[in-house]
Amino acid sequence: MRITLELSHRNPSVTLPVNNSYLLSSLIYNIVDRSSSEYAERLHAEGYRLQNRAFKLFTFSPLYTANRRKWEMHQDGTMSTRERLLHLTISSPKSEFIEHLVVGLQHEPFVSVGKERFRVEPVRRLDAPEISGDMRFIALSPIVCATKRTGVLYAQYLFPGDEDFERVLCENLCRKYEALHGSSYSIDNSTFRFTLDQDYADRKNGKIQKLITIKEGKPDETKVKGLLAPFRLEAPAELMEVGYECGFGERNSQGFGMVKVDED
């Protein structure tokens, strides 16, 4: 299920940090907290558990304007726009999560993102696309796929063409399916195939990796690298649905792995 928040303001312009995904994630938790502080705390601390792993089972898009105009970037690490209406799309298969968002906004329609304050217009629910076993998607936010090697301190980020990319991406979807449905899920790896849109990669001169900083300037600042490009996925429809609703890859609740269906 997906909803879009329309954020309006009356300022001449809006300025936000370029690395604002942490601010948007905090915004979402704050809205949920207005409806149920108990649910918000449980979601943040525990999520939906699968053995020793926890999944939040939601993701969200970057802030975008109605006409998709680009933000004006500044050298101080901020970006600005004069558009009076911004949009944020949030996705989750958990109806309770979506309902808490809606109720939270009914309690208080004003929200803050960083130093900017907005009024949230009536929430718009989006129609679900038809899910099949062969689909094309456009990544709205970077898809993070990583693995930890024995004896290596830091995780290794994976991208199409890397030996373990498809396996790690598939296993992540399977675990989210199990956390969502409470039942085990196994798959023949031959039925899972990820194909990068090579034409897009060529037009971008191969620059399809994006580095995002989480909690920029704070002691626990983290840099995360992911894939930002259209792709084709051949996979069981139930995994396709999990990826569309929860996000593909890791760190979905921090704003990674959000996609839309490529209808061209």
Side-chain angles (χ1 to χ4, degrees):
M1 184 183 302
R2 290 190 173 189
I3 60 173
T4 292
L5 309 187
E6 296 183 347
L7 310 180
S8 64
H9 67 94
R10 295 183 178 180
N11 302 322
S13 66
V14 164
T15 300
L16 294 170
V18 171
N19 291 296
N20 57 58
S21 58
Y22 175 70
L23 297 178
L24 297 178
S25 179
S26 298
L27 166 68
I28 291 170
Y29 280 111
N30 288 337
I31 295 173
V32 171
D33 184 75
R34 296 173 184 175
S35 173
S36 172
S37 57
E38 179 184 356
Y39 177 80
E41 182 178 352
R42 186 172 73 250
L43 179 66
H44 187 269
E46 303 176 12
Y48 298 91
R49 301 200 65 83
L50 175 67
Q51 298 173 357
N52 62 339
R53 299 289 299 274
F55 297 93
K56 307 303 170 62
L57 301 181
F58 76 88
T59 191
F60 56 91
S61 71
L63 277 176
Y64 59 95
T65 61
N67 49 21
R68 297 285 182 174
R69 285 183 180 173
K70 292 184 177 181
W71 291 73
E72 182 179 353
M73 300 298 175
H74 307 292
Q75 293 184 347
D76 63 354
T78 64
M79 61 184 193
S80 62
T81 180
R82 292 183 173 86
E83 296 293 323
R84 294 297 180 91
L85 194 62
L86 302 178
H87 300 262
L88 175 66
T89 299
I90 304 170
S91 179
S92 175
K94 300 298 291 185
S95 59
E96 59 181 341
F97 170 78
I98 297 295
E99 291 305 319
H100 281 306
L101 277 172
V102 173
V103 172
L105 288 170
Q106 290 173 347
H107 287 320
E108 172 56 68
F110 290 95
V111 299
S112 295
V113 181
K115 297 179 181 180
E116 303 288 357
R117 188 163 173 81
F118 302 90
R119 178 183 175 88
V120 181
E121 305 301 330
V123 173
R124 183 161 55 93
R125 294 181 186 249
L126 305 182
D127 293 333
E130 183 177 344
I131 301 294
S132 69
D134 186 346
M135 299 189 70
R136 296 180 184 274
F137 294 106
I138 297 173
L140 300 177
S141 58
I143 297 172
V144 178
C145 189
T147 187
K148 196 76 178 290
R149 305 290 186 186
T150 303
V152 178
L153 182 60
Y154 298 104
Q156 176 186 354
Y157 291 107
L158 302 173
F159 297 92
D162 292 337
E163 180 181 0
D164 292 329
F165 176 80
E166 281 190 355
R167 176 186 62 80
V168 172
L169 186 66
C170 179
E171 289 177 354
N172 176 270
L173 286 173
C174 290
R175 288 195 295 268
K176 282 185 283 200
Y177 178 94
E178 292 173 353
L180 176 60
H181 295 284
S183 59
S184 61
Y185 188 91
S186 60
I187 180 176
D188 180 349
N189 288 339
S190 65
T191 65
F192 189 94
R193 180 175 299 177
F194 183 104
T195 306
L196 177 68
D197 185 334
Q198 194 59 50
D199 289 340
Y200 178 89
D202 292 342
R203 292 197 302 273
K204 291 290 186 178
N205 296 317
K207 297 179 180 179
I208 55 175
Q209 298 179 14
K210 190 173 181 64
L211 185 68
I212 302 290
T213 304
I214 306 296
K215 296 185 178 181
E216 188 173 20
K218 298 181 181 295
D220 52 350
E221 173 183 297
T222 303
K223 295 186 182 297
V224 181
K225 186 183 291 186
L227 170 73
L228 192 62
F231 62 95
R232 175 187 177 187
L233 185 64
E234 298 167 80
E238 54 268 25
L239 290 189
M240 202 80 76
E241 186 172 28
V242 168
Y244 177 79
E245 293 193 329
C246 299
F248 287 94
E250 304 172 13
R251 297 179 176 266
N252 303 137
S253 63
Q254 294 178 330
F256 293 91
M258 179 82 160
V259 304
K260 69 175 183 179
V261 175
D262 188 349
E263 298 177 346
D264 292 340

